[in-house]
């Protein structure tokens, strides 16, 4: 029962879309209506507001970290085992992708996945973040950086901890990230993908 409660709570935490919340707070257009129409930090950045984008990034990463950290820190005292922690990690990520509070229209999960990885292990999160930063700096494509980082995340976990139930959760997240970036993969191949910092039409303040 405690595992079920923790999983549902994690999903609800993940369902808080900081891209929408922060856009409203900063008086910006709904990020689901311009650019890639993805409620995430990269698309919010296309509005021209770096503050809103940073707030979105921090918020989305923090919710992933918080859910997993709470499960790791306090879960064992309430009977939450390794499998339960894995379920929490997947649940908070699914909440971001398909948020119940926003008609199940969510983001692609890059920042939230990073938060989850940091909650599992700081070094795991930092290694994955470093991979994203290197690729993003070299090619200026957030989507490409996310794709490559998502492939490396399970590899990093395996090196650090070997194969276990939490590795399964990381693999599931990586697979979902690749799935959610399907349109970006097509755009990258066609040379139509927007680079980091490019401003989108319709992203002006209300």
């Amino acid at each position: 029962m405690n595992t079920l409660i923790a999983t549902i709570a994690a999903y609800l935490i993940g369902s808080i879309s900081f891209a929408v919340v922060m856009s409203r707070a900063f008086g910006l257009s709904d990020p689901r209506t311009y650019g890639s129409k993805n409620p995430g930090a990269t698309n919010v950045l296309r509005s021209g507001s770096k503050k809103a984008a940073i707030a979105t990034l921090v918020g989305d990463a923090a919710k992933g970290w918080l859910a997993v950290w709470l499960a790791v820190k306090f879960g064992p005292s309430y009977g939450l085992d390794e499998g339960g922690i894995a379920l929490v990690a997947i649940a908070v990520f699914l909440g971001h992708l398909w948020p119940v509070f926003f008609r199940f229209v969510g983001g692609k999960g890059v920042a939230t996945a990073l938060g989850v990885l940091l909650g599992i292990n700081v070094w795991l999160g930092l290694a994955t973040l470093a991979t994203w930063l290197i690729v993003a700096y070299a090619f200026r494509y957030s989507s490409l950086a996310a794709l490559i980082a998502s492939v490396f995340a399970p590899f990093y976990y395996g090196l650090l901890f070997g194969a276990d139930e939490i590795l399964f959760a990381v693999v599931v997240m990586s697979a979902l990230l690749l799935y959610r970036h399907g349109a970006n993969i097509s755009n990258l191949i066609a040379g139509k993908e927007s680079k980091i910092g490019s401003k989108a039409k319709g992203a002006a303040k209300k």
Side-chain angles (χ1 to χ4, degrees):
M1 180 59 73
N2 288 335
T3 298
L4 178 61
I5 293 172
T7 302
I8 293 173
Y11 171 77
L12 294 176
I13 291 172
S15 289
I16 302 171
S17 178
F18 281 92
V20 178
V21 171
M22 292 303 169
S23 291
R24 290 175 181 173
F26 283 85
L28 304 171
S29 298
D30 190 319
R32 296 169 294 182
T33 64
Y34 64 81
S36 65
K37 294 182 172 57
N38 173 58
T42 301
N43 203 38
V44 172
L45 182 61
R46 294 189 178 106
S47 70
S49 175
K50 292 182 180 179
K51 290 182 179 179
I54 292 172
T56 298
L57 178 66
V58 172
D60 282 344
K63 69 184 182 185
W65 171 83
L66 178 63
V68 175
W69 181 82
L70 288 173
V72 172
K73 184 73 173 179
F74 302 105
S77 300
Y78 294 91
L80 205 67
D81 58 12
E82 190 174 83
I85 294 171
L87 286 175
V88 166
I90 294 173
V92 69
F93 187 68
L94 290 176
H96 179 80
L97 300 187
W98 293 286
V100 66
F101 303 132
F102 296 91
R103 300 180 180 180
F104 303 101
V105 179
K108 295 175 182 175
V110 177
T112 302
L114 173 62
V116 169
L117 296 177
L118 287 169
I120 293 171
N121 180 270
V122 173
W123 294 112
L124 171 65
L126 290 178
T128 307
L129 175 60
T131 302
W132 188 95
L133 289 171
I134 291 169
V135 177
Y137 178 80
F139 298 99
R140 306 299 296 171
Y141 288 113
S142 174
S143 57
L144 180 62
L147 290 167
I148 294 176
S150 67
V151 170
F152 273 87
F155 173 72
Y156 293 144
Y157 185 92
L159 283 179
L160 289 169
F161 307 108
D164 56 22
E165 291 170 298
I166 295 178
L167 174 59
F168 173 75
V170 176
V171 170
V172 169
M173 284 197 306
S174 295
L176 286 170
L177 273 168
L178 293 173
Y179 167 73
R180 294 287 283 189
H181 281 80
N184 301 92
I185 294 172
S186 297
N187 287 336
L188 284 166
I189 294 173
K192 298 178 180 179
E193 183 72 350
S194 298
K195 291 191 174 184
I196 295 173
S198 61
K199 192 168 182 179
K201 293 181 179 179
K205 290 187 176 181
K206 296 179 179 178

